[in-house]
Amino acid sequence: MATWKTLTTLDSASPLMEQLLFFHDHTLMILLMITVLVGYIMLTLFFNQFNYRFLLEGQTIEMFWTILPAIILIFIALPSLKLLYLLDEVNNPVVTVKSIGHQWYWSYEYNDFKKVEFDSYMIPKNDLKETTFRLLDVDNRMAVPYDSQIRMLVTAADVLHSWTIPVLSVKIDATPGRLNQVSFLLNRTGIFFGQCSEICGANHSFMPIVMESISMDYFMKWISKMSEI
Ligand code: CUA
């Protein structure tokens, strides 16, 4: 979770998010090189005395400064496409969780198990304790086992919502009448926070997402307890 003075991106919790961060850094390096080069050239233009009134074209340099940016763009486009398709890979999920967006809360269903369904509301201001995070914590957190491939099915009951957890590289629209799919793998335990990311009405800001990443043992205990209720 981002706290005060967290100015950089958060550490990833999944291999895909790690790759996305690498891609971000890679693209930013290219951007930096271009900015420095163009900045330097622009600056030198102010401070030189060279004038040639009859210069109208230069076939060679025009060819060069057209092809070079195109080649640079390929170095961004190819890793970007690779990641785009990698994000869509499902890889034999162990658990499937269905998340439904409502105005204004999320509900979860674990349909691999018997009768595991619950609503997840934000904890209101009046009920805050020292251990709860204001505007970000929920009464019923969802849980998934770490180091296991998880599939999320996301939909909505009323209007558009978006189920988003940044450190997982998950951001998917919850659309009424549609079932969207994402998959991810957590490579560490922890509590991960997210928020609805589609303007869905008055309380859009108040339907956060909390995911507990726990060991498979604890997950099985939790899920069996949930299906007893
Ligand atoms: Cu739900 Cu914004």
Side-chain angles (χ1 to χ4, degrees), residues 102 104 106 160-162 196-201 203-205 207:
H102 305 260
W104 288 274
W106 292 96
L160 284 174
H161 300 272
S162 175
C196 177
S197 302
E198 188 77 67
I199 308 292
C200 58
N203 292 327
H204 157 68
S205 325
M207 47 180 300

Side-chain angles (χ1 to χ4, degrees), residues 3-176:
T3 49
W4 297 111
K5 293 180 190 171
T6 306
L7 297 178
T8 54
T9 48
L10 299 172
D11 284 345
S12 64
S14 82
L16 282 173
M17 190 61 222
E18 189 176 31
Q19 291 300 313
L20 282 168
L21 290 175
F22 289 153
F23 175 64
H24 167 266
D25 295 350
H26 165 77
T27 312
L28 218 60
M29 281 311 293
I30 293 174
L31 193 68
L32 190 75
M33 287 184 325
I34 295 169
T35 314
V36 168
L37 182 72
V38 174
Y40 172 73
I41 293 170
M42 282 172 77
L43 207 70
T44 51
L45 283 177
F46 289 112
F47 300 107
N48 75 65
Q49 300 292 320
F50 300 128
N51 283 300
Y52 179 47
R53 284 196 296 140
F54 302 106
L55 180 73
L56 289 171
E57 60 175 341
Q59 296 282 336
T60 319
I61 191 144
E62 279 168 18
M63 176 88 92
F64 192 65
W65 74 34
T66 308
I67 292 174
L68 196 73
I71 293 170
I72 295 170
L73 283 182
I74 291 170
F75 278 100
I76 301 171
L78 291 183
S80 171
L81 276 173
K82 190 194 80 176
L83 261 170
L84 190 69
Y85 287 107
L86 212 59
L87 285 169
D88 266 341
E89 211 64 60
V90 179
N91 308 318
N92 296 320
V94 202
V95 185
T96 302
V97 188
K98 188 176 175 191
S99 173
I100 303 147
H102 305 260
Q103 276 178 319
W104 288 274
Y105 63 96
W106 292 96
S107 67
Y108 296 97
E109 292 177 11
Y110 288 70
N111 290 319
D112 296 333
F113 307 91
K114 250 191 193 171
K115 290 190 290 181
V116 183
E117 298 174 13
F118 56 90
D119 297 339
S120 179
Y121 282 88
M122 187 192 80
I123 297 189
K125 211 169 155 188
N126 313 15
D127 302 345
L128 285 180
K129 279 178 249 148
E130 284 206 342
T131 48
T132 51
F133 297 101
R134 189 180 70 100
L135 302 181
L136 224 46
D137 235 326
V138 293
D139 53 358
N140 293 306
R141 293 167 168 176
M142 67 165 298
V144 285
Y146 84 108
D147 257 345
S148 329
Q149 194 67 39
I150 315 289
R151 168 168 52 195
M152 286 291 307
L153 298 174
V154 180
T155 186
D158 33 52
V159 297
L160 284 174
H161 300 272
S162 175
W163 200 89
T164 305
I165 295 187
V167 288
L168 279 184
S169 77
V170 176
K171 179 172 191 287
I172 190 155
D173 276 353
T175 313

